Amino acid sequence: MSQGVNTSEIAQMEAPAESVNPEHGLPESFGEGLTGRLLFWIAVSFSTFQIITSFGIPLDQPFIAGLSLTHLWGVAMVAWAAWLIGLAVRRRSIVDGAMAWLAVAGAFGLVLWFGGSMPSQVVRTIHVGFLCLVAGAMIANHRSGSSSLRAVGWIVGVASFLVGLYHWALYEELIVRAGELTTLDLVVGIAGIAILIYLIWRVMGPALPIVAGLFLSYCLFGHWLPAPLDHRGYSLEQVVEHMALGTEGIYGTPTLVSSTYIFLFILFGAFMEKAGVIDFFNDISMAVFGDKQGGPGKVCVASSALMGTVSGSGVANVVASGQFTIPLMKRFGFTSAFAGGVEATSSMGGQIMPPVMGAVAFIMAETIDVPYSKIVEAAIIPAILYFAACYLAVHLEAGKRNLRGLPKSELPNAWTELKTKWFLIAPLGVLVYLLFTGYTPLFAGAVGLSLTVALILGTAIATGLGTQALRIAFWVGLALVAAYSLASTVTLVVLVVAALSLWNAFSGRGRTTLQACVEAMADGARQALPVGLACAVVGIVIGTMTLTGLGTIVGTWMISIGKENIFAALVLTMIFSLILGMGIPTIPNYIITSSLAAPILLQLDVPLIVSHMFVFYFGIMADLTPPVALAAFAAAPMAKESGLKIGVQAVRIALPGFVIPYMAVYDPTLMLQPVPGLEGVGYWLAVVYIVLKATLAMTLWGTASIGYFLKPLSWWERLWATVAAALLVAAIPLTDEVGFVLSALFVGFHVWQTRRVATPAISR
């Protein structure tokens, strides 16, 4: 290649004209004019509320000389109001400032109503209320062709927020009169369900609302069905109370996880992006892999794996890194469909990439009541194998097309990047340390977020210092203060961030940085829409299971199949997950399928984590599988290619993702799960064996899929490799031995053929 790699130029040429989130089809903005700014500050208020409640710090608890955070907040708000009044007196516009003041005051006021520590059930209801308010306003600002339709969107959003406020204001009364609904309770409950389903329909399409509607219909009319599908019958009041006035339906476990772990880690990713971590990951990936065979494709795989440790959202990874990697791969010589397939496949792998996996991992940990670190432990080997398979596919396709690496002169230097920007991943390092030393994900996420904000604010301050010595002294001092704060209480961490914010408020560069942080908070609230809304509406499915016992009915049927043939039960689970995933995102797909299938797999002696990971994997694969493949269609505008063609390529590349779950079921050591009778050295030898076998099988499948190894493969060589790989995966006596023999013969024959063809060419 003779041209240098100009990432911004490539992104500008190839990126879609308008940035649209493929998960909900809404622009990545809040709209124009006053309503746009109002929605922006509502989103900031949402994030502020979530930060306060996620950190779990009682605002009214004294910590210094009898002072509490409530007192400090009150002083700050009074000073802020006085400053705004001063601006108004000088005839300066204070509209934006007043909205900001109201946003912060509203978020704190919601929590202070309960003395500074809000009950979990109320956090969930306000969380859903905020989600619906932001969603309704986004629809109003972006999809309304007239002022009347815009007003309807805002009214619907506000009405849903008022439903949340109803629970907030009458929390104790609702608990006391549980089981005895008033007419107003019933109206509010029905309104909450109806508005949620309507907004989900407008934001994410009809699939999920139809599923929720079917389950609600089953609750109300299932007693008319023939046995064994029938139930004893439930009144409208019973269904509404179960679904909308307790913690079993839309305010159930998925919403709990969304309002705590998921939102916090979405914010963490948004702030890490503002800090420049995504660019850092891209630069490191370019430096390490850019000069290799098929370099840009391998850069895509590596950067997506690294980004997965931050964002944990497959579609977010596609949008964020695909703007750069897809045009670069196309420019390098890969086809549009293959470039999009590589990006979609590697980005979806971010959801299984430790240490910060996708939102499903947090839901899984909460559902099966195991530490998050155990989920990460089970995912490590499969994640490495998944990305290794993506890397291999790129390597083989590049060899097939004779695409060599980029010149070293056009690439950044890895050592230089690490020396100058290592501090960007310091919060991520602290987060990983806390996760693996027994701290809860909520605490680890709160600390990681605080350190990231401190890093962004501290960088702005240090840049403004006059000499290198002052900058070093500042960073050392900040590090010591942060370490002391972490060792004592999270309250001090919050005060450190507040002090840094105050310092930045009095400098021009600092105010720009503060504005970037505020924008990150608003972005986090917007990015939480598809995840949070899906978690809320899928609670209807979970509520139906707990109310009617539908899971037991389905489970009995699947167990009857699995007792005869567990492979058939696994295939049925896979097919159900893939079909469900055609219209439903990974999170609700996992929740629904795991509610139905995972307990059955457990009864068929599949280990607990493995059974849930089996469902999780195919929820991810559903986003790559045509005809409806969300990740593939997200890559389509950047690749300028059909989403269907990209999906076909993604399936070819992601083939190991379909195989790994089956191998783990038959040999749980692949997910580092205990096996009866195996311990010590014997256990670790079994781990090494299954990893080597899986690696060999994936290599053979990759060569067969791409049609290239050391040279192009004939059709019968591809069939040979496929059969050898299938035998290695099959859990039947003697298949391993036959598979290893066929693999050795295939490799030996291919090497001999390659040398035989090359020898005459050399002699000539």
mmCIF file of all heavy atoms in Angstrom, residues 406-445:
data_model
loop_
_atom_site.group_PDB
_atom_site.id
_atom_site.type_symbol
_atom_site.label_atom_id
_atom_site.label_comp_id
_atom_site.label_asym_id
_atom_site.label_seq_id
_atom_site.Cartn_x
_atom_site.Cartn_y
_atom_site.Cartn_z
ATOM 1 N N LEU A 406 0.219 -4.068 6.485
ATOM 2 C CA LEU A 406 0.504 -2.664 6.211
ATOM 3 C C LEU A 406 1.975 -2.365 6.498
ATOM 4 O O LEU A 406 2.589 -3.012 7.355
ATOM 5 C CB LEU A 406 -0.374 -1.771 7.091
ATOM 6 C CG LEU A 406 -1.892 -1.897 6.888
ATOM 7 C CD1 LEU A 406 -2.621 -1.178 8.020
ATOM 8 C CD2 LEU A 406 -2.290 -1.326 5.544
ATOM 9 N N PRO A 407 2.559 -1.392 5.807
ATOM 10 C CA PRO A 407 3.957 -1.016 6.091
ATOM 11 C C PRO A 407 4.111 -0.511 7.521
ATOM 12 O O PRO A 407 3.248 0.211 8.033
ATOM 13 C CB PRO A 407 4.216 0.097 5.078
ATOM 14 C CG PRO A 407 3.198 -0.081 4.010
ATOM 15 C CD PRO A 407 1.989 -0.641 4.688
ATOM 16 N N LYS A 408 5.203 -0.871 8.156
ATOM 17 C CA LYS A 408 5.477 -0.434 9.532
ATOM 18 C C LYS A 408 5.486 1.086 9.645
ATOM 19 O O LYS A 408 5.113 1.645 10.679
ATOM 20 C CB LYS A 408 6.834 -0.991 9.983
ATOM 21 C CG LYS A 408 6.800 -2.414 10.509
ATOM 22 C CD LYS A 408 6.284 -2.450 11.941
ATOM 23 C CE LYS A 408 6.470 -3.831 12.571
ATOM 24 N NZ LYS A 408 5.924 -3.853 13.944
ATOM 25 N N SER A 409 5.936 1.752 8.574
ATOM 26 C CA SER A 409 6.049 3.215 8.619
ATOM 27 C C SER A 409 4.693 3.896 8.764
ATOM 28 O O SER A 409 4.606 5.042 9.186
ATOM 29 C CB SER A 409 6.748 3.724 7.356
ATOM 30 O OG SER A 409 6.014 3.327 6.199
ATOM 31 N N GLU A 410 3.627 3.195 8.395
ATOM 32 C CA GLU A 410 2.291 3.782 8.474
ATOM 33 C C GLU A 410 1.591 3.478 9.790
ATOM 34 O O GLU A 410 0.467 3.917 10.006
ATOM 35 C CB GLU A 410 1.428 3.253 7.322
ATOM 36 C CG GLU A 410 1.941 3.632 5.950
ATOM 37 C CD GLU A 410 1.042 3.104 4.853
ATOM 38 O OE1 GLU A 410 -0.007 2.507 5.193
ATOM 39 O OE2 GLU A 410 1.378 3.277 3.674
ATOM 40 N N LEU A 411 2.255 2.714 10.654
ATOM 41 C CA LEU A 411 1.610 2.241 11.874
ATOM 42 C C LEU A 411 2.168 2.948 13.101
ATOM 43 O O LEU A 411 3.341 3.338 13.130
ATOM 44 C CB LEU A 411 1.822 0.734 12.017
ATOM 45 C CG LEU A 411 1.306 -0.129 10.861
ATOM 46 C CD1 LEU A 411 1.709 -1.582 11.072
ATOM 47 C CD2 LEU A 411 -0.198 -0.002 10.730
ATOM 48 N N PRO A 412 1.344 3.106 14.131
ATOM 49 C CA PRO A 412 1.855 3.657 15.398
ATOM 50 C C PRO A 412 2.799 2.676 16.068
ATOM 51 O O PRO A 412 2.830 1.487 15.739
ATOM 52 C CB PRO A 412 0.587 3.871 16.228
ATOM 53 C CG PRO A 412 -0.423 2.943 15.640
ATOM 54 C CD PRO A 412 -0.094 2.808 14.191
ATOM 55 N N ASN A 413 3.570 3.183 17.020
ATOM 56 C CA ASN A 413 4.502 2.345 17.775
ATOM 57 C C ASN A 413 3.851 1.926 19.088
ATOM 58 O O ASN A 413 3.418 2.773 19.872
ATOM 59 C CB ASN A 413 5.802 3.114 18.040
ATOM 60 C CG ASN A 413 6.819 2.278 18.785
ATOM 61 O OD1 ASN A 413 6.783 2.191 20.014
ATOM 62 N ND2 ASN A 413 7.716 1.648 18.041
ATOM 63 N N ALA A 414 3.774 0.610 19.314
ATOM 64 C CA ALA A 414 3.076 0.099 20.495
ATOM 65 C C ALA A 414 3.726 0.587 21.782
ATOM 66 O O ALA A 414 3.040 0.983 22.734
ATOM 67 C CB ALA A 414 3.036 -1.425 20.462
ATOM 68 N N TRP A 415 5.045 0.552 21.836
ATOM 69 C CA TRP A 415 5.746 0.943 23.058
ATOM 70 C C TRP A 415 5.526 2.422 23.361
ATOM 71 O O TRP A 415 5.300 2.814 24.503
ATOM 72 C CB TRP A 415 7.232 0.624 22.927
ATOM 73 C CG TRP A 415 8.054 0.994 24.124
ATOM 74 C CD1 TRP A 415 9.100 1.855 24.178
ATOM 75 C CD2 TRP A 415 7.879 0.508 25.467
ATOM 76 N NE1 TRP A 415 9.601 1.952 25.444
ATOM 77 C CE2 TRP A 415 8.861 1.126 26.271
ATOM 78 C CE3 TRP A 415 6.994 -0.386 26.068
ATOM 79 C CZ2 TRP A 415 8.986 0.874 27.633
ATOM 80 C CZ3 TRP A 415 7.118 -0.625 27.427
ATOM 81 C CH2 TRP A 415 8.106 -0.001 28.186
ATOM 82 N N THR A 416 5.561 3.242 22.306
ATOM 83 C CA THR A 416 5.326 4.675 22.491
ATOM 84 C C THR A 416 3.907 4.932 22.997
ATOM 85 O O THR A 416 3.686 5.749 23.900
ATOM 86 C CB THR A 416 5.549 5.424 21.165
ATOM 87 O OG1 THR A 416 6.880 5.190 20.716
ATOM 88 C CG2 THR A 416 5.318 6.915 21.343
ATOM 89 N N GLU A 417 2.943 4.227 22.401
ATOM 90 C CA GLU A 417 1.556 4.394 22.827
ATOM 91 C C GLU A 417 1.370 3.996 24.285
ATOM 92 O O GLU A 417 0.680 4.677 25.055
ATOM 93 C CB GLU A 417 0.629 3.549 21.944
ATOM 94 C CG GLU A 417 0.536 4.010 20.509
ATOM 95 C CD GLU A 417 -0.110 5.373 20.377
ATOM 96 O OE1 GLU A 417 -1.056 5.654 21.132
ATOM 97 O OE2 GLU A 417 0.330 6.157 19.532
ATOM 98 N N LEU A 418 1.999 2.893 24.675
ATOM 99 C CA LEU A 418 1.874 2.433 26.062
ATOM 100 C C LEU A 418 2.538 3.409 27.028
ATOM 101 O O LEU A 418 2.015 3.679 28.117
ATOM 102 C CB LEU A 418 2.495 1.047 26.209
ATOM 103 C CG LEU A 418 1.671 -0.125 25.648
ATOM 104 C CD1 LEU A 418 2.498 -1.409 25.670
ATOM 105 C CD2 LEU A 418 0.392 -0.318 26.451
ATOM 106 N N LYS A 419 3.708 3.921 26.657
ATOM 107 C CA LYS A 419 4.424 4.849 27.548
ATOM 108 C C LYS A 419 3.651 6.143 27.758
ATOM 109 O O LYS A 419 3.660 6.714 28.854
ATOM 110 C CB LYS A 419 5.808 5.168 26.970
ATOM 111 C CG LYS A 419 6.841 4.088 27.184
ATOM 112 C CD LYS A 419 8.259 4.610 26.936
ATOM 113 C CE LYS A 419 8.414 5.124 25.527
ATOM 114 N NZ LYS A 419 9.812 5.578 25.269
ATOM 115 N N THR A 420 2.996 6.617 26.691
ATOM 116 C CA THR A 420 2.339 7.921 26.786
ATOM 117 C C THR A 420 0.887 7.852 27.255
ATOM 118 O O THR A 420 0.352 8.830 27.778
ATOM 119 C CB THR A 420 2.383 8.634 25.420
ATOM 120 O OG1 THR A 420 1.778 7.785 24.426
ATOM 121 C CG2 THR A 420 3.822 8.918 25.010
ATOM 122 N N LYS A 421 0.240 6.676 27.086
ATOM 123 C CA LYS A 421 -1.195 6.619 27.383
ATOM 124 C C LYS A 421 -1.583 5.472 28.304
ATOM 125 O O LYS A 421 -2.767 5.135 28.421
ATOM 126 C CB LYS A 421 -1.994 6.504 26.074
ATOM 127 C CG LYS A 421 -1.797 7.670 25.123
ATOM 128 C CD LYS A 421 -2.588 7.459 23.837
ATOM 129 C CE LYS A 421 -2.379 8.587 22.858
ATOM 130 N NZ LYS A 421 -3.103 8.350 21.578
ATOM 131 N N TRP A 422 -0.614 4.859 28.997
ATOM 132 C CA TRP A 422 -0.912 3.700 29.844
ATOM 133 C C TRP A 422 -1.953 4.027 30.918
ATOM 134 O O TRP A 422 -2.754 3.170 31.325
ATOM 135 C CB TRP A 422 0.365 3.203 30.519
ATOM 136 C CG TRP A 422 0.956 4.213 31.448
ATOM 137 C CD1 TRP A 422 1.897 5.155 31.156
ATOM 138 C CD2 TRP A 422 0.620 4.408 32.832
ATOM 139 N NE1 TRP A 422 2.172 5.928 32.251
ATOM 140 C CE2 TRP A 422 1.404 5.494 33.301
ATOM 141 C CE3 TRP A 422 -0.257 3.781 33.709
ATOM 142 C CZ2 TRP A 422 1.323 5.943 34.611
ATOM 143 C CZ3 TRP A 422 -0.335 4.241 35.013
ATOM 144 C CH2 TRP A 422 0.454 5.301 35.451
ATOM 145 N N PHE A 423 -1.930 5.276 31.375
ATOM 146 C CA PHE A 423 -2.821 5.659 32.477
ATOM 147 C C PHE A 423 -4.300 5.571 32.084
ATOM 148 O O PHE A 423 -5.173 5.515 32.951
ATOM 149 C CB PHE A 423 -2.508 7.089 32.939
ATOM 150 C CG PHE A 423 -2.585 8.121 31.846
ATOM 151 C CD1 PHE A 423 -3.781 8.748 31.560
ATOM 152 C CD2 PHE A 423 -1.465 8.458 31.101
ATOM 153 C CE1 PHE A 423 -3.868 9.690 30.567
ATOM 154 C CE2 PHE A 423 -1.540 9.403 30.090
ATOM 155 C CZ PHE A 423 -2.741 10.021 29.812
ATOM 156 N N LEU A 424 -4.580 5.544 30.759
ATOM 157 C CA LEU A 424 -5.973 5.485 30.327
ATOM 158 C C LEU A 424 -6.659 4.198 30.770
ATOM 159 O O LEU A 424 -7.878 4.168 30.965
ATOM 160 C CB LEU A 424 -6.058 5.609 28.797
ATOM 161 C CG LEU A 424 -5.725 6.980 28.204
ATOM 162 C CD1 LEU A 424 -5.741 6.915 26.688
ATOM 163 C CD2 LEU A 424 -6.706 8.044 28.699
ATOM 164 N N ILE A 425 -5.871 3.125 30.898
ATOM 165 C CA ILE A 425 -6.483 1.844 31.285
ATOM 166 C C ILE A 425 -6.304 1.554 32.773
ATOM 167 O O ILE A 425 -6.654 0.464 33.228
ATOM 168 C CB ILE A 425 -5.911 0.681 30.452
ATOM 169 C CG1 ILE A 425 -4.388 0.591 30.589
ATOM 170 C CG2 ILE A 425 -6.307 0.816 28.994
ATOM 171 C CD1 ILE A 425 -3.809 -0.641 29.920
ATOM 172 N N ALA A 426 -5.783 2.533 33.531
ATOM 173 C CA ALA A 426 -5.632 2.329 34.978
ATOM 174 C C ALA A 426 -6.979 2.058 35.657
ATOM 175 O O ALA A 426 -7.086 1.134 36.476
ATOM 176 C CB ALA A 426 -4.930 3.539 35.604
ATOM 177 N N PRO A 427 -8.054 2.826 35.349
ATOM 178 C CA PRO A 427 -9.350 2.500 35.976
ATOM 179 C C PRO A 427 -9.831 1.095 35.635
ATOM 180 O O PRO A 427 -10.426 0.417 36.482
ATOM 181 C CB PRO A 427 -10.296 3.560 35.387
ATOM 182 C CG PRO A 427 -9.409 4.693 35.002
ATOM 183 C CD PRO A 427 -8.138 4.050 34.537
ATOM 184 N N LEU A 428 -9.572 0.664 34.397
ATOM 185 C CA LEU A 428 -9.963 -0.692 34.006
ATOM 186 C C LEU A 428 -9.178 -1.722 34.810
ATOM 187 O O LEU A 428 -9.723 -2.744 35.235
ATOM 188 C CB LEU A 428 -9.729 -0.895 32.509
ATOM 189 C CG LEU A 428 -10.167 -2.235 31.925
ATOM 190 C CD1 LEU A 428 -11.658 -2.441 32.115
ATOM 191 C CD2 LEU A 428 -9.798 -2.313 30.442
ATOM 192 N N GLY A 429 -7.884 -1.453 35.041
ATOM 193 C CA GLY A 429 -7.075 -2.359 35.862
ATOM 194 C C GLY A 429 -7.598 -2.463 37.287
ATOM 195 O O GLY A 429 -7.662 -3.562 37.861
ATOM 196 N N VAL A 430 -7.981 -1.315 37.861
ATOM 197 C CA VAL A 430 -8.547 -1.319 39.217
ATOM 198 C C VAL A 430 -9.861 -2.087 39.242
ATOM 199 O O VAL A 430 -10.138 -2.867 40.166
ATOM 200 C CB VAL A 430 -8.754 0.125 39.717
ATOM 201 C CG1 VAL A 430 -9.500 0.135 41.046
ATOM 202 C CG2 VAL A 430 -7.411 0.834 39.854
ATOM 203 N N LEU A 431 -10.679 -1.878 38.212
ATOM 204 C CA LEU A 431 -11.957 -2.584 38.115
ATOM 205 C C LEU A 431 -11.745 -4.096 38.094
ATOM 206 O O LEU A 431 -12.417 -4.845 38.820
ATOM 207 C CB LEU A 431 -12.679 -2.135 36.844
ATOM 208 C CG LEU A 431 -13.971 -2.867 36.484
ATOM 209 C CD1 LEU A 431 -15.056 -2.557 37.494
ATOM 210 C CD2 LEU A 431 -14.431 -2.485 35.086
ATOM 211 N N VAL A 432 -10.813 -4.563 37.284
ATOM 212 C CA VAL A 432 -10.533 -5.995 37.192
ATOM 213 C C VAL A 432 -10.044 -6.535 38.535
ATOM 214 O O VAL A 432 -10.466 -7.598 38.993
ATOM 215 C CB VAL A 432 -9.492 -6.267 36.091
ATOM 216 C CG1 VAL A 432 -9.068 -7.736 36.095
ATOM 217 C CG2 VAL A 432 -10.047 -5.888 34.731
ATOM 218 N N TYR A 433 -9.153 -5.778 39.174
ATOM 219 C CA TYR A 433 -8.626 -6.204 40.479
ATOM 220 C C TYR A 433 -9.757 -6.361 41.498
ATOM 221 O O TYR A 433 -9.827 -7.365 42.220
ATOM 222 C CB TYR A 433 -7.607 -5.178 40.975
ATOM 223 C CG TYR A 433 -7.176 -5.404 42.413
ATOM 224 C CD1 TYR A 433 -6.261 -6.395 42.744
ATOM 225 C CD2 TYR A 433 -7.721 -4.630 43.441
ATOM 226 C CE1 TYR A 433 -5.885 -6.617 44.058
ATOM 227 C CE2 TYR A 433 -7.357 -4.835 44.760
ATOM 228 C CZ TYR A 433 -6.433 -5.836 45.063
ATOM 229 O OH TYR A 433 -6.073 -6.054 46.381
ATOM 230 N N LEU A 434 -10.655 -5.382 41.539
ATOM 231 C CA LEU A 434 -11.751 -5.438 42.507
ATOM 232 C C LEU A 434 -12.706 -6.597 42.213
ATOM 233 O O LEU A 434 -13.180 -7.270 43.131
ATOM 234 C CB LEU A 434 -12.516 -4.114 42.504
ATOM 235 C CG LEU A 434 -11.748 -2.891 43.026
ATOM 236 C CD1 LEU A 434 -12.561 -1.620 42.835
ATOM 237 C CD2 LEU A 434 -11.380 -3.066 44.497
ATOM 238 N N LEU A 435 -12.975 -6.839 40.922
ATOM 239 C CA LEU A 435 -13.879 -7.924 40.555
ATOM 240 C C LEU A 435 -13.333 -9.278 40.974
ATOM 241 O O LEU A 435 -14.078 -10.176 41.372
ATOM 242 C CB LEU A 435 -14.136 -7.916 39.043
ATOM 243 C CG LEU A 435 -15.096 -6.851 38.506
ATOM 244 C CD1 LEU A 435 -15.122 -6.883 36.983
ATOM 245 C CD2 LEU A 435 -16.498 -7.046 39.056
ATOM 246 N N PHE A 436 -12.012 -9.430 40.883
ATOM 247 C CA PHE A 436 -11.413 -10.737 41.157
ATOM 248 C C PHE A 436 -10.894 -10.883 42.587
ATOM 249 O O PHE A 436 -10.278 -11.886 42.910
ATOM 250 C CB PHE A 436 -10.284 -11.018 40.155
ATOM 251 C CG PHE A 436 -10.778 -11.469 38.821
ATOM 252 C CD1 PHE A 436 -11.090 -10.545 37.842
ATOM 253 C CD2 PHE A 436 -10.964 -12.809 38.549
ATOM 254 C CE1 PHE A 436 -11.564 -10.950 36.609
ATOM 255 C CE2 PHE A 436 -11.438 -13.227 37.321
ATOM 256 C CZ PHE A 436 -11.739 -12.294 36.346
ATOM 257 N N THR A 437 -11.128 -9.877 43.412
ATOM 258 C CA THR A 437 -10.726 -10.001 44.817
ATOM 259 C C THR A 437 -11.937 -10.015 45.746
ATOM 260 O O THR A 437 -11.814 -9.754 46.934
ATOM 261 C CB THR A 437 -9.770 -8.851 45.221
ATOM 262 O OG1 THR A 437 -10.329 -7.595 44.841
ATOM 263 C CG2 THR A 437 -8.413 -9.031 44.574
ATOM 264 N N GLY A 438 -13.103 -10.296 45.177
ATOM 265 C CA GLY A 438 -14.271 -10.531 46.018
ATOM 266 C C GLY A 438 -15.220 -9.364 46.170
ATOM 267 O O GLY A 438 -16.272 -9.517 46.809
ATOM 268 N N TYR A 439 -14.896 -8.197 45.608
ATOM 269 C CA TYR A 439 -15.822 -7.069 45.713
ATOM 270 C C TYR A 439 -16.986 -7.263 44.742
ATOM 271 O O TYR A 439 -16.857 -7.924 43.712
ATOM 272 C CB TYR A 439 -15.099 -5.751 45.406
ATOM 273 C CG TYR A 439 -14.113 -5.345 46.464
ATOM 274 C CD1 TYR A 439 -12.766 -5.701 46.369
ATOM 275 C CD2 TYR A 439 -14.517 -4.607 47.573
ATOM 276 C CE1 TYR A 439 -11.852 -5.337 47.344
ATOM 277 C CE2 TYR A 439 -13.613 -4.228 48.554
ATOM 278 C CZ TYR A 439 -12.278 -4.600 48.431
ATOM 279 O OH TYR A 439 -11.383 -4.234 49.410
ATOM 280 N N THR A 440 -18.123 -6.662 45.065
ATOM 281 C CA THR A 440 -19.291 -6.806 44.210
ATOM 282 C C THR A 440 -19.087 -6.018 42.913
ATOM 283 O O THR A 440 -18.361 -5.014 42.887
ATOM 284 C CB THR A 440 -20.554 -6.278 44.910
ATOM 285 O OG1 THR A 440 -20.419 -4.857 45.106
ATOM 286 C CG2 THR A 440 -20.762 -6.972 46.241
ATOM 287 N N PRO A 441 -19.739 -6.446 41.818
ATOM 288 C CA PRO A 441 -19.647 -5.676 40.575
ATOM 289 C C PRO A 441 -20.123 -4.240 40.735
ATOM 290 O O PRO A 441 -19.611 -3.343 40.077
ATOM 291 C CB PRO A 441 -20.567 -6.460 39.619
ATOM 292 C CG PRO A 441 -20.602 -7.840 40.161
ATOM 293 C CD PRO A 441 -20.506 -7.689 41.658
ATOM 294 N N LEU A 442 -21.100 -4.031 41.629
ATOM 295 C CA LEU A 442 -21.620 -2.682 41.837
ATOM 296 C C LEU A 442 -20.548 -1.779 42.438
ATOM 297 O O LEU A 442 -20.332 -0.649 41.984
ATOM 298 C CB LEU A 442 -22.847 -2.735 42.746
ATOM 299 C CG LEU A 442 -23.759 -1.504 42.734
ATOM 300 C CD1 LEU A 442 -24.273 -1.239 41.332
ATOM 301 C CD2 LEU A 442 -24.919 -1.699 43.695
ATOM 302 N N PHE A 443 -19.840 -2.285 43.456
ATOM 303 C CA PHE A 443 -18.775 -1.499 44.068
ATOM 304 C C PHE A 443 -17.634 -1.290 43.079
ATOM 305 O O PHE A 443 -17.109 -0.175 42.942
ATOM 306 C CB PHE A 443 -18.255 -2.208 45.325
ATOM 307 C CG PHE A 443 -17.112 -1.494 45.999
ATOM 308 C CD1 PHE A 443 -17.350 -0.432 46.854
ATOM 309 C CD2 PHE A 443 -15.803 -1.870 45.770
ATOM 310 C CE1 PHE A 443 -16.296 0.237 47.476
ATOM 311 C CE2 PHE A 443 -14.746 -1.213 46.385
ATOM 312 C CZ PHE A 443 -15.000 -0.159 47.234
ATOM 313 N N ALA A 444 -17.260 -2.366 42.378
ATOM 314 C CA ALA A 444 -16.163 -2.263 41.409
ATOM 315 C C ALA A 444 -16.509 -1.272 40.305
ATOM 316 O O ALA A 444 -15.667 -0.458 39.893
ATOM 317 C CB ALA A 444 -15.859 -3.639 40.820
ATOM 318 N N GLY A 445 -17.749 -1.327 39.823
ATOM 319 C CA GLY A 445 -18.162 -0.396 38.782
ATOM 320 C C GLY A 445 -18.185 1.039 39.271
ATOM 321 O O GLY A 445 -17.796 1.962 38.540
#
